[in-house]
Amino acid sequence: MGTLTEAPVRGPMDFSVLTDREREVLGLLSSGETNRRLARHLGITERTVRAHTASIVRKLCLRSRTEAALVSALHAEELAGGTAWVLGAAD
């Protein structure tokens, strides 16, 4: 079994398979916030955040939400397309 550093999170990722909302959720995962807080920030339910996260993990052939958060951090510029996604104190 490989180590986390051998995981495919550093290589090229095909984000075109994700919907706009999935890309938005993925962009926020690196914040380390809970699904509840992400849902509040996005104006959707916590269940919907979980569904988007599961879809992201499946479509990008990742193993977990944690790995998706690593992908988010490593590919932040590409995901944001020049727009920074930051959770504010009011969220």
Side-chain angles (χ1 to χ4, degrees):
M1 184 165 136
T3 65
L4 188 57
T5 57
E6 294 171 358
V9 298
R10 292 179 190 233
M13 301 292 294
D14 182 11
F15 297 116
S16 68
V17 300
L18 303 178
T19 66
D20 289 342
R21 185 59 114 178
E22 288 167 346
R23 286 174 56 101
E24 190 174 11
V25 169
L26 180 58
L28 291 170
L29 286 177
S30 64
S31 71
E33 293 294 341
T34 64
N35 287 341
R36 179 174 294 185
R37 187 148 160 142
L38 295 180
R40 189 175 306 135
H41 176 77
L42 295 168
I44 59 179
T45 67
E46 187 176 350
R47 181 177 178 177
T48 302
V49 171
R50 286 194 308 269
H52 285 314
T53 302
S55 182
I56 291 163
V57 168
R58 181 180 45 80
K59 287 179 178 181
L60 296 181
C61 300
L62 303 173
R63 291 180 229 146
S64 66
R65 182 188 195 277
T66 302
E67 194 170 16
L70 289 171
V71 166
S72 174
L74 292 170
H75 296 273
E77 274 188 41
E78 185 179 352
L79 285 168
T83 303
W85 288 320
V86 179
L87 291 177
D91 292 322

